[in-house]
Amino acid sequence: MTPDALYPERGGLNNYGISMEYEAEQKKLKDRLLAQRRKEDTLLPSFISDALVVERNKLQGFQIYRLIPERPRGNIFYLYSSRRMLPISKREWQFILTLCKKSHMAVTVPLYPIAPEYDCEDVFDLLLPAYRDFCRHREPGPLIIMGCGAGAGLGLSLSLLTWKEGLPDPDKLAFLSPEMDTEYFDQELESKVRRDKKEAEEEKVRREFIDSCWVKNYAGRTEYTSPIYAEFTDICKDILVVSGTGDPENPYARRFTEKVLDTGIEVKYFEYPGMAKDFYFRQGSRESRHVMKVLHDLLLDTDTAIMHQYLQEVRDRAEWSKRFPELFRDEEAIRYVSQNPGTAVSEFHGRNVFSLLEAATQRAADDAVSLFLKEYPNGTVVYIGCSLDTMLSRVDNHRVLWYDLDSPGKLAARSIYTKRRERERRIDRSLNDLSWMSQLSVEMDRGLLFVVRNIFSYMTREEMKNFLNRLYQSFQGCNVIFDIPTPRARRMLNFFTKRSGAEYRRRRLAMRDPRRDIELMNPVFNVISVKSVLDDVRSQDDWRFSLRLGLWSNRRRESRKMIHIRLGNERYKTFEEL
């Protein structure tokens, strides 16, 4: 939808105007900003020049710094978080220094014009020739446009203008806490922004100030002022977005990500719960360290800093495929590990009973989903907590509509590991954020299955009951497949995981008699089947005695079970009924 269609009553995009009640506040804001301008705002802090080689240049009277580490491996054109009216802060300079050291990339920082002295036209009159000069004096390696806050919006505009101006396209885009809209045409998107009354008043003053002092004659030229409304078909193919849910601009970061995904381009989107704008500037915080590791791996195309933790399970599934080929085989995991031999070390070493249980559980889940799809071939499957598992590639009947659901970080790593299929959708939400239910497009008469792998064991009984009740209320008659350990198996698994040195989360829920326990939760929960994951596992001649003994012991105790339930009595149409 175009801005004109969103606001037909405005009579044109230039007829924005400034409300009289805010003129006094805007004048105060303008006077305060001008009074705060200092000569030091354009100077490089000494801790930067002490740590790196610095090249200084001026273009149209504005300072441009180029920070060069030893043996640079690429080039970053960095646009700072200015809100379009503030100079760069020392905290951001410290962030840039850390970025330069960790990524081993040369970072160019233009101190571009800001309001109220300068407007949007002045900014791009500087940025376009600055980027051209940046491309001419590049180090070997990729060209990256990176921006924080308002700088991310300017970076997106710049990337859209490169082809028009005959400039080299960037190899990567990295946007942190992006501000991509200064004209705010989309009221539906605005309704998702949460502010208290005082914040809303201050934001209104700021927006009208930006409109009168920065947008000015560029009103309606959204490729410069509000690039979130642009077409992204030919945008850069390698995009990273970082945002915190406490950032008022977070809905815009999500909308941008969704728009790019709709074009078929993968976006690596990392979202941090509760984090405010520019949270990564807080040096030493856990979230700041995580962001820097993400930037290291994704800018350098490595997995050594943080991605190896996400890719751990890929290695595990490749190990299961190697150790137990008669039971489980994941071709995508095998292919990825063979192409990336340095991928993380597996937590499950060799043929042991815990590796066997994991492989058997995955095989049991695959079999249960395949059985469902034989009955409901045109159904919908929602894989909750999918992580990096590519189950669809193993069970695909070429008709099912498939949803992968997990946190943004997991799905971002997933886009590195595997590409989406034509009938595959991805929802980047945590399990507890139940807004994902509204994103499902389900034809209720074709069958609906939720696959919940390795999640319920970390919940309490009450949490599991509440979750299933929500599914029942929203999708009555749906099917749910999940695995659950017995009490003894839960204790053993907790003990082994803690001793192994792997990331430890205590499993809390176990069920000795799943039929009774589930029906006690809600009488309308119908248990279709309860099956030990080891039922179809047969001992092999080359297995060690300890593994055979472990198989016999766990099978005898039915240590882990695959459960299939239906929430309610409503039936979907089966294959024979279609």
Side-chain angles (χ1 to χ4, degrees):
M1 186 176 289
T2 65
D4 282 319
L6 287 165
Y7 281 102
E9 73 278 6
R10 278 170 48 173
L13 292 169
N14 290 326
N15 186 25
Y16 196 78
I18 303 172
S19 60
M20 296 294 292
E21 60 181 303
Y22 287 98
E23 283 187 345
E25 287 84 350
Q26 288 184 61
K27 187 177 186 306
K28 289 179 185 178
L29 178 58
K30 181 176 181 178
D31 292 342
R32 186 165 67 250
L33 289 171
L34 291 173
Q36 290 174 347
R37 296 282 189 268
R38 298 170 301 178
K39 185 178 181 180
E40 292 79 13
D41 292 338
T42 61
L43 299 180
L44 193 72
S46 59
F47 59 79
I48 298 284
S49 52
D50 290 344
L52 298 167
V53 174
V54 179
E55 293 182 357
R56 293 169 170 83
N57 187 24
K58 274 196 174 183
L59 187 61
Q60 301 174 14
F62 292 93
Q63 192 71 54
I64 299 176
Y65 296 101
R66 186 164 177 256
L67 317 181
I68 309 173
E70 290 187 32
R71 296 185 294 276
R73 300 171 61 179
N75 311 267
I76 297 176
F77 191 75
Y78 184 94
L79 299 168
Y80 74 94
S81 179
S82 66
R83 304 215 76 188
R84 295 176 176 81
M85 59 185 183
L86 298 173
I88 187 170
S89 67
K90 285 191 175 180
R91 287 198 316 159
E92 189 160 6
W93 274 122
Q94 185 64 60
F95 173 80
I96 294 170
L97 173 62
T98 305
L99 172 68
C100 190
K101 286 183 172 181
K102 296 290 186 182
S103 68
H104 305 287
M105 291 197 172
V107 181
T108 297
V109 186
L111 301 187
Y112 56 83
I114 51 177
E117 303 99 315
Y118 303 96
D119 59 24
C120 180
E121 184 175 4
D122 298 320
V123 172
F124 286 98
D125 282 348
L126 172 75
L127 289 186
L128 287 168
Y131 181 73
R132 182 179 290 108
D133 189 62
F134 164 78
C135 296
R136 287 173 183 162
H137 299 91
R138 60 183 293 181
E139 301 288 340
L143 292 176
I144 300 169
I145 294 178
M146 181 175 179
C148 292
L154 297 175
L156 177 57
S157 293
L158 183 61
S159 68
L160 294 170
L161 294 169
T162 52
W163 69 271
K164 182 179 178 181
E165 299 293 329
L167 299 173
D169 292 330
D171 298 298
K172 299 174 185 282
L173 298 175
F175 300 140
L176 282 62
S177 301
E179 298 175 22
M180 297 179 168
D181 190 0
T182 60
E183 299 198 72
Y184 303 98
F185 295 112
D186 193 336
Q187 292 302 294
E188 179 185 351
L189 193 54
E190 271 292 282
S191 67
K192 298 179 181 179
V193 177
R194 296 178 181 177
R195 294 186 178 90
D196 61 31
K197 186 175 180 180
K198 182 179 179 181
E199 289 174 334
E201 289 293 315
E202 292 173 349
E203 180 63 16
K204 188 169 183 179
V205 173
R206 189 190 74 85
R207 288 184 179 184
E208 293 200 2
F209 174 80
I210 292 298
D211 185 72
S212 62
C213 294
W214 192 84
V215 174
K216 294 176 69 173
N217 297 329
Y218 271 43
R221 300 180 67 176
T222 52
E223 70 272 28
Y224 295 94
T225 62
S226 301
I228 195 171
Y229 301 118
E231 292 294 328
F232 299 134
T233 304
D234 297 320
I235 199 172
C236 176
K237 304 298 183 184
D238 196 342
I239 304 172
L240 166 65
V241 179
V242 173
S243 183
T245 59
D247 180 2
E249 301 287 334
N250 176 254
Y252 289 87
R254 278 191 163 275
R255 177 62 59 84
F256 168 72
T257 301
E258 291 164 2
K259 281 191 65 176
V260 176
L261 286 172
D262 286 343
T263 68
I265 299 172
E266 294 290 346
V267 180
K268 302 171 183 70
Y269 178 65
F270 285 82
E271 186 175 87
Y272 294 80
M275 291 294 103
K277 179 178 289 296
D278 301 342
F279 67 92
Y280 33 80
F281 292 163
R282 297 202 302 268
Q283 295 290 312
S285 70
R286 182 167 62 91
E287 292 80 11
S288 176
R289 290 196 299 269
H290 189 277
V291 169
M292 195 56 67
K293 290 177 180 178
V294 167
L295 291 173
H296 174 279
D297 279 353
L298 298 187
L299 297 183
L300 294 175
D301 294 320
T302 72
D303 67 357
T304 57
I306 195 68
M307 287 299 109
H308 66 277
Q309 294 183 23
Y310 289 99
L311 295 168
Q312 179 69 63
E313 63 184 89
V314 179
R315 182 84 176 190
D316 291 338
R317 284 198 301 276
E319 278 291 302
W320 305 337
S321 301
K322 175 183 176 183
R323 302 295 182 180
F324 308 104
E326 69 287 342
L327 176 63
F328 175 77
R329 189 165 181 84
D330 189 327
E331 296 292 348
E332 291 203 43
I334 294 170
R335 182 166 53 253
Y336 182 83
V337 171
S338 65
Q339 293 172 353
N340 301 272
T343 303
V345 177
S346 174
E347 295 172 11
F348 300 94
H349 303 286
R351 281 183 183 156
N352 58 47
V353 69
F354 295 100
S355 297
L356 177 63
L357 277 168
E358 292 296 330
T361 303
Q362 187 68 71
R363 169 63 180 273
D366 289 358
D367 289 346
V369 174
S370 296
L371 190 62
F372 172 85
L373 292 179
K374 286 181 180 178
E375 190 172 6
Y376 304 100
N378 296 307
T380 299
V381 176
V382 183
Y383 193 174
I384 300 174
C386 64
S387 195
L388 274 66
D389 185 15
T390 54
M391 184 189 287
L392 176 58
S393 67
R394 301 190 299 270
V395 303
D396 193 9
N397 66 351
H398 306 290
R399 296 164 72 178
V400 61
L401 175 61
W402 191 278
Y403 286 90
D404 288 316
L405 169 68
D406 213 319
S407 65
K410 286 288 180 69
L411 292 186
R414 188 183 181 90
S415 67
I416 301 170
Y417 165 53
T418 183
K419 302 302 180 186
R420 283 182 299 168
R421 294 174 177 243
E422 183 179 356
R423 288 162 287 100
E424 183 180 5
R425 310 285 185 268
R426 293 182 181 174
I427 302 177
D428 52 354
R429 290 286 191 279
S430 71
L431 176 64
N432 296 325
D433 180 3
L434 298 181
S435 64
W436 59 263
M437 293 185 181
S438 64
Q439 297 189 42
L440 301 180
S441 178
V442 178
E443 294 188 43
M444 298 300 289
D445 64 342
R446 293 193 171 188
L448 172 61
L449 172 67
F450 292 92
V451 181
V452 186
R453 273 281 290 113
N454 199 27
I455 289 179
F456 285 152
S457 62
Y458 294 103
M459 294 183 175
T460 64
R461 196 174 298 269
E462 191 64 25
E463 287 171 341
M464 178 181 175
K465 174 184 173 181
N466 291 338
F467 178 75
L468 291 176
N469 279 330
R470 278 299 304 270
L471 288 184
Y472 170 66
Q473 293 165 11
S474 301
F475 309 101
Q476 185 174 353
C478 69
N479 291 261
V480 183
I481 290 171
F482 63 94
D483 60 289
I484 203 77
T486 61
R488 184 176 178 183
R490 178 196 59 191
R491 289 193 297 270
M492 290 298 294
L493 193 55
N494 282 336
F495 176 75
F496 172 78
T497 306
K498 194 171 185 178
R499 281 193 59 187
S500 70
E503 183 179 355
Y504 176 64
R505 288 175 58 207
R506 186 170 68 88
R507 290 167 171 83
R508 298 187 289 176
L509 182 62
M511 292 183 181
R512 192 181 308 277
D513 185 352
R515 288 185 181 275
R516 183 201 64 181
D517 291 346
I518 291 169
E519 289 175 356
L520 284 175
M521 288 181 179
N522 191 325
V524 300
F525 294 173
N526 303 308
V527 179
I528 306 301
S529 67
V530 176
K531 181 180 179 182
S532 169
V533 300
L534 296 173
D535 273 357
D536 299 324
V537 179
R538 297 292 174 262
S539 178
Q540 302 298 308
D541 293 339
D542 60 343
W543 287 7
R544 292 181 303 175
F545 174 75
S546 59
L547 182 57
R548 295 183 186 184
L549 180 62
L551 171 61
W552 174 83
S553 175
N554 280 273
R555 179 185 286 150
R556 182 171 176 269
R557 292 183 281 108
E558 294 186 322
S559 62
R560 196 179 301 185
K561 301 176 182 180
M562 189 63 59
I563 319 297
H564 181 183
I565 63 176
R566 180 180 292 118
L567 307 184
N569 298 315
E570 187 172 315
R571 286 289 305 276
Y572 297 102
K573 291 181 180 178
T574 64
F575 178 71
E576 291 78 11
E577 295 168 336
L578 285 173

Coordinates of all heavy atoms in Angstrom, one line a residue, residues 17 53 92 107 132 144 223 233 300 353 367 430 445 467 469 491 499 506 513 522 555:
G17 N 2.6 19.6 7.6 CA 2.3 20.6 8.6 C 2.8 20.4 10.0 O 3.1 19.3 10.3
V53 N 45.1 2.0 13.9 CA 45.5 3.0 12.8 C 44.3 3.8 12.3 O 43.3 3.1 12.0 CB 46.2 2.3 11.7 CG1 46.5 3.2 10.5 CG2 47.4 1.5 12.2
E92 N 29.1 4.7 21.8 CA 29.1 4.0 20.5 C 30.5 3.9 19.9 O 30.8 3.0 19.2 CB 28.1 4.8 19.5 CG 27.9 4.1 18.2 CD 26.7 4.6 17.5 OE1 26.0 5.6 17.9 OE2 26.3 4.0 16.4
V107 N 36.8 -0.2 9.5 CA 35.5 0.5 9.7 C 35.6 2.0 9.3 O 36.4 2.7 9.9 CB 35.0 0.3 11.1 CG1 33.6 1.0 11.3 CG2 35.0 -1.1 11.5
R132 N 31.0 6.1 -2.3 CA 31.8 5.9 -3.5 C 33.3 5.9 -3.2 O 34.0 5.0 -3.6 CB 31.5 7.0 -4.5 CG 32.2 6.9 -5.8 CD 31.9 8.0 -6.8 NE 30.5 7.9 -7.3 CZ 29.5 8.7 -7.0 NH1 29.7 9.7 -6.1 NH2 28.3 8.5 -7.5
I144 N 30.4 -4.1 3.5 CA 29.3 -4.2 4.4 C 28.8 -2.8 4.7 O 29.6 -1.9 5.2 CB 29.7 -5.0 5.7 CG1 30.2 -6.4 5.3 CG2 28.5 -5.0 6.6 CD1 30.9 -7.1 6.5
E223 N 12.2 6.4 -0.4 CA 13.4 5.7 -0.5 C 14.5 6.4 0.4 O 15.5 5.8 0.8 CB 13.9 5.6 -1.9 CG 14.3 6.8 -2.6 CD 13.1 7.6 -3.3 OE1 12.0 7.4 -2.8 OE2 13.4 8.3 -4.3
T233 N 12.8 -6.5 -3.7 CA 13.1 -7.6 -4.5 C 14.6 -7.8 -4.9 O 15.1 -8.9 -4.9 CB 12.3 -7.5 -5.8 OG1 10.9 -7.4 -5.5 CG2 12.4 -8.8 -6.7
L300 N 31.9 -12.5 9.2 CA 33.1 -13.2 8.7 C 32.7 -14.6 8.1 O 33.6 -15.3 7.6 CB 34.1 -13.4 9.8 CG 34.7 -12.1 10.4 CD1 35.6 -12.4 11.5 CD2 35.5 -11.4 9.3
V353 N 24.2 -45.2 25.1 CA 22.8 -45.3 25.2 C 22.0 -44.0 25.1 O 20.9 -43.9 24.6 CB 22.4 -46.0 26.5 CG1 22.7 -45.1 27.7 CG2 21.0 -46.5 26.5
D367 N 8.3 -41.0 12.4 CA 7.3 -42.0 12.1 C 5.9 -41.6 12.4 O 4.9 -41.8 11.6 CB 7.6 -43.3 12.8 CG 8.9 -44.0 12.2 OD1 9.4 -43.6 11.2 OD2 9.4 -44.9 12.9
S430 N 8.9 -17.2 20.6 CA 9.2 -18.2 21.6 C 7.9 -19.0 21.9 O 6.8 -18.5 21.6 CB 9.7 -17.6 22.9 OG 8.7 -16.8 23.5
D445 N -10.5 -28.2 8.0 CA -11.0 -29.5 7.6 C -10.0 -30.4 7.0 O -10.3 -31.5 6.5 CB -12.2 -29.3 6.6 CG -11.8 -28.7 5.3 OD1 -10.7 -28.1 5.3 OD2 -12.5 -28.8 4.3
F467 N -0.8 -24.9 28.4 CA -0.4 -24.7 27.0 C -1.4 -25.6 26.2 O -1.9 -25.1 25.1 CB 1.0 -25.2 26.8 CG 1.4 -25.1 25.4 CD1 1.7 -24.0 24.8 CD2 1.6 -26.3 24.6 CE1 2.1 -23.9 23.4 CE2 1.9 -26.3 23.3 CZ 2.2 -25.1 22.7
N469 N -4.4 -26.5 26.9 CA -5.7 -25.9 27.0 C -5.8 -24.7 26.0 O -6.9 -24.5 25.3 CB -6.0 -25.4 28.4 CG -6.5 -26.5 29.3 OD1 -7.1 -27.5 28.8 ND2 -6.2 -26.4 30.6
R491 N 15.7 -38.4 35.8 CA 16.8 -38.2 36.7 C 18.2 -38.6 36.0 O 19.2 -37.8 36.2 CB 16.6 -39.1 37.9 CG 15.5 -38.6 38.8 CD 15.5 -39.3 40.2 NE 15.3 -40.7 40.1 CZ 14.1 -41.3 40.1 NH1 13.0 -40.5 40.3 NH2 14.0 -42.6 40.0
R499 N 26.9 -33.7 33.9 CA 28.3 -34.2 33.9 C 29.0 -34.0 32.6 O 30.2 -33.8 32.6 CB 28.3 -35.7 34.3 CG 28.1 -36.0 35.7 CD 28.4 -37.4 36.0 NE 29.8 -37.7 35.6 CZ 30.3 -38.9 35.7 NH1 29.6 -40.0 36.0 NH2 31.6 -39.2 35.3
R506 N 17.6 -28.1 33.7 CA 17.0 -29.2 34.4 C 15.6 -29.6 33.8 O 14.8 -28.7 33.6 CB 16.9 -28.9 35.9 CG 16.4 -30.0 36.7 CD 16.5 -29.7 38.2 NE 15.5 -28.6 38.6 CZ 14.3 -28.9 39.0 NH1 13.8 -30.1 39.0 NH2 13.5 -27.9 39.3
D513 N 2.6 -42.9 33.8 CA 1.4 -43.4 33.1 C 0.8 -42.2 32.3 O -0.1 -41.5 32.8 CB 0.4 -43.9 34.1 CG -0.8 -44.6 33.4 OD1 -0.9 -44.5 32.2 OD2 -1.6 -45.2 34.2
N522 N -7.4 -32.8 31.4 CA -8.6 -32.3 30.8 C -9.3 -33.5 30.2 O -8.7 -34.2 29.4 CB -8.4 -31.2 29.7 CG -9.6 -30.5 29.3 OD1 -10.7 -31.1 29.2 ND2 -9.5 -29.2 29.0
R555 N 14.4 -50.3 27.3 CA 13.2 -50.9 26.7 C 12.3 -51.5 27.7 O 11.1 -51.3 27.7 CB 13.6 -51.9 25.6 CG 12.4 -52.5 24.9 CD 12.8 -53.6 24.0 NE 13.3 -53.0 22.8 CZ 14.2 -53.6 22.0 NH1 14.7 -54.8 22.4 NH2 14.7 -53.1 20.9

